[in-house]
């Protein structure tokens, strides 16, 4: 809408941008990111930026903790891990202010990211980002530390689990009713398969939350699974794109837009995803719920259940959790045991709901490539196969030939 004098009454767009750790890995990269944010702000947008820890900082902090204590208290782990994002946020804010772009950084607790009281894997309960709104009113760029919050119950600093800054970004975008939430990375979009594993993997320009949810549930690392869940629930428009836009490579994709409305016109295979490490566990006398409680009680960490059949379950977890699970289960006797640890999962996600003929076609490809299927399961848009770990890469390549 315009006034007779031509002055636009349209509200200023509000963009939430999340920068991944790789895009902030060194001072030069931080300054480049600052340039990009500054031009967005100068173009008239209100900008809130969520940062991850620089490069491999979080891994280094975990490593440091292990050198001091074999089983550190989780409360102290959160005190330590939250430092990583605090470094990025303050450095980025310094770089922006030097460019003449007024910026202010906040920790999760300063920004009112309120979580439950569990350490290392907390859930956001509520956002009360009053200071963020106030700073936006003053036309400042706001930089927030991702991956962290505070529990109003215990008053303790918490972290949201590995990769959790995506969740921070979506939560703040929802709270501020942002026009969109951009997840900016060193990878420039969502791909049909991991480009490191499949050389001819292609970028996917657009999809629905439903597709990305199934992809992240079955191993796509492009976004944190819980962040996609939250975006779908709250209908936060997501965009995955490259942090660095000034490359001269003209084959570069223009990113992936993820919305509620988008529907593919035609049924076809969209993407292949995979978990490299899957364990098969015999529960024996345990129920699945008791087994999960047992692991939690012994501080082994959270596992992700992929499939259950009677008393056999197939699970995956972050690398650290899998190794501590292996150590734990091999020491002493437990009412459950790992029966196979050299497994992987490979999943095919389709543009529309799967049918029997998709299953036949996919199974025939795996059979043709002499890949034994240990277990297969179906979800709305996807088929999932548990295969021997040594056949993983071959299975991914074979299935990708259908795309
Ligand atoms: N820095 C944290 C991690 O590496 C959180 C994040 O990157 O989202 O897991
Ligand atoms: Mg990180």
């Amino acid at each position: 809408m315009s006034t007779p004098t031509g002055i636009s009454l349209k509200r200023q767009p509000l963009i939430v941008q999340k920068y991944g750790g790789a895009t902030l890995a060194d001072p030069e990269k931080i300054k480049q990111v600052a340039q990009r944010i500054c031009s967005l702000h100068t173009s008239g947008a209100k900008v809130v930026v969520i940062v991850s820890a620089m490069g491999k900082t979080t891994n280094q902090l975990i490593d440091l903790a292990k050198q001091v204590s074999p089983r550190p208290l989780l409360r102290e782990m959160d005190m330590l891990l939250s430092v990583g994002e605090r470094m990025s946020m303050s450095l980025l804010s310094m770089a922006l202010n030097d460019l003449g772009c007024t910026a202010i950084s906040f920790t999760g607790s300063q920004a009112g990211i309120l979580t439950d009281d569990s350490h290392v894997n907390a859930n956001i309960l509520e956002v009360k980002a009053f200071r963020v709104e106030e700073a936006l009113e003053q036309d400042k760029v706001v930089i927030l530390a991702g991956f962290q919050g505070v529990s109003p119950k215990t008053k303790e600093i918490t972290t949201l689990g590995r990769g959790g800054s995506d969740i921070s970004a979506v939560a703040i975008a929802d709270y501020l009713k942002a026009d969109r939430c951009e997840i900016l990375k060193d990878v420039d979009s969502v791909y049909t398969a991991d480009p490191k594993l499949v050389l001819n993997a292609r970028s996917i320009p657009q999809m629905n939350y439903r597709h990305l949810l199934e992809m992240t549930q079955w191993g796509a690392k492009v976004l944190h699974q819980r962040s996609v869940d939250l975006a779908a629930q709250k209908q936060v428009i997501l965009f995955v794109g490259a942090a660095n836009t000034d490359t001269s490579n003209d084959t570069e994709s223009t990113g992936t837009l993820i919305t509620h409305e988008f529907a593919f016109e035609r049924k076809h295979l969209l993407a292949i995803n995979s978990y490299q490490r899957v364990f098969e566990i015999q529960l024996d006398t345990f129920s699945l719920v008791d087994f999960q409680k047992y692991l939690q009680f012994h501080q082994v960490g959270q596992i992700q259940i992929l499939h259950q059949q009677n008393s056999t379950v197939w699970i995956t977890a972050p690398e650290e959790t899998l190794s501590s699970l292996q150590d734990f289960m091999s020491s002493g006797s437990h009412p459950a045991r790992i029966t196979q640890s050299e497994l992987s999962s490979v999943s095919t996600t389709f543009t529309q709901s799967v049918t029997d003929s998709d299953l036949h076609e996919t199974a025939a490809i795996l059979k043709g490539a002499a890949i034994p299927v240990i277990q297969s399961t179906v979800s709305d848009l996807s088929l999932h196969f548990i295969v021997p770990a040594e056949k993983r890469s071959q299975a991914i390549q074979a299935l990708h030939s259908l795309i």
Side-chain angles (χ1 to χ4, degrees):
M1 193 194 297
S2 295
T3 64
T5 53
I7 299 167
S8 171
L9 291 181
K10 200 172 171 297
R11 110 178 153 96
Q12 262 180 295
L14 197 163
I15 309 291
V16 170
Q17 291 194 323
K18 181 247 159 174
Y19 287 89
T23 73
L24 301 165
D26 57 50
E28 230 18 78
K29 288 191 170 149
I30 291 179
K31 288 197 253 178
Q32 277 168 19
V33 164
Q35 288 280 2
R36 175 167 177 181
I37 296 167
C38 197
S39 15
L40 179 62
H41 184 249
T42 312
S43 77
K46 287 183 182 286
V47 189
V48 176
V49 177
I50 313 296
V51 290
S52 286
M54 294 167 69
K56 304 247 173 286
T57 303
T58 308
N59 289 342
Q60 285 159 359
L61 292 173
I62 293 173
D63 221 51
L64 210 52
K66 278 194 196 138
Q67 291 176 47
V68 171
S69 160
R71 273 183 174 241
L73 286 176
L74 298 183
R75 188 242 176 221
E76 302 306 335
M77 276 312 278
D78 277 349
M79 293 303 279
L80 179 68
L81 296 186
S82 54
V83 171
E85 274 66 17
R86 199 162 167 159
M87 287 167 66
S88 316
M89 73 176 201
S90 45
L91 292 170
L92 183 57
S93 180
M94 289 175 198
L96 277 160
N97 282 297
D98 279 356
L99 294 172
C101 186
T102 313
I104 183 165
S105 68
F106 294 125
T107 63
S109 70
Q110 287 174 318
I113 308 289
L114 307 182
T115 72
D116 60 17
D117 55 359
S118 56
H119 283 293
V120 173
N121 215 349
N123 283 301
I124 297 179
L125 299 176
E126 206 184 346
V127 178
K128 288 189 174 172
F130 307 140
R131 293 193 68 183
V132 175
E133 290 172 294
E134 211 175 287
L136 286 173
E137 287 293 314
Q138 296 163 0
D139 203 31
K140 289 179 182 158
V141 171
V142 181
I143 316 290
L144 297 184
F147 170 63
Q148 55 179 265
V150 62
S151 157
K153 190 164 142 203
T154 60
K155 312 274 185 292
E156 298 288 9
I157 302 295
T158 54
T159 62
L160 308 178
R162 295 307 307 271
S165 47
D166 293 340
I167 311 170
S168 316
V170 173
I172 201 83
D174 170 49
Y175 174 83
L176 296 170
K177 297 283 160 266
D179 291 273
R180 66 186 199 166
C181 178
E182 302 185 346
I183 308 287
L184 305 174
K185 307 165 70 79
D186 54 346
V187 203
D188 58 15
S189 66
V190 182
Y191 275 80
T192 52
D194 182 346
K196 288 184 201 113
L197 299 177
V198 179
L199 289 178
N200 59 349
R202 286 194 304 273
S203 148
I204 307 172
Q206 214 169 337
M207 64 175 74
N208 191 290
Y209 298 122
R210 288 169 62 214
H211 301 106
L212 192 57
L213 255 180
E214 291 207 3
M215 288 167 64
T216 53
Q217 257 157 22
W218 287 87
K221 292 196 209 81
V222 64
L223 252 92
H224 195 294
Q225 192 181 319
R226 266 157 51 204
S227 74
V228 186
D229 230 332
L230 187 64
Q233 268 175 48
K234 307 286 188 181
Q235 303 204 358
V236 173
I237 295 175
L238 286 176
F239 171 78
V240 177
N244 183 0
T245 44
D246 46 42
T247 118
S248 48
N249 178 0
D250 55 16
T251 59
E252 194 195 0
S253 91
T254 47
T256 306
L257 188 66
I258 304 113
T259 58
H260 170 64
E261 307 82 37
F262 183 75
F264 287 94
E265 275 170 22
R266 197 170 63 75
K267 165 84 161 284
H268 59 88
L269 183 54
L270 182 66
I272 316 288
N273 288 287
S274 163
Y275 283 113
Q276 188 169 8
R277 293 194 75 194
V278 171
F279 289 178
E280 183 184 279
I281 295 176
Q282 276 302 327
L283 292 177
D284 294 333
T285 56
F286 259 144
S287 75
L288 186 50
V289 176
D290 288 342
F291 179 58
Q292 282 172 295
K293 282 193 193 145
Y294 186 74
L295 295 183
Q296 219 155 17
F297 178 79
H298 289 281
Q299 296 223 8
V300 178
Q302 261 187 359
I303 55 167
Q304 182 182 339
I305 311 296
L306 298 178
H307 185 57
Q308 177 174 20
Q309 193 171 55
N310 306 320
S311 63
T312 310
V313 286
W314 288 268
I315 65 115
T316 189
E319 200 48 48
E320 305 102 75
T321 309
L322 287 178
S323 358
S324 67
L325 177 64
Q326 233 167 355
D327 289 350
F328 175 67
M329 299 290 269
S330 61
S331 66
S333 69
H334 308 281
R337 64 212 145 83
I338 300 174
T339 41
Q340 282 202 63
S341 57
E342 301 289 312
L343 300 174
S344 295
S345 73
V346 179
S347 300
T348 53
T349 299
F350 292 80
T351 53
Q352 296 167 10
S353 300
V354 292
T355 57
D356 280 351
S357 75
D358 300 318
L359 180 58
H360 292 146
E361 188 182 8
T362 321
I365 291 278
L366 292 174
K367 197 169 174 205
I371 293 157
V373 173
I374 289 149
Q375 186 61 237
S376 60
T377 83
V378 184
S379 54
D380 179 21
L381 298 170
S382 314
L383 299 166
H384 316 283
F385 303 95
I386 308 287
V387 299
E390 87 253 18
K391 297 280 185 187
R392 173 183 180 238
S393 156
Q394 211 188 324
I396 296 172
Q397 309 279 350
L399 291 170
H400 196 268
S401 68
L402 289 174
I403 294 186

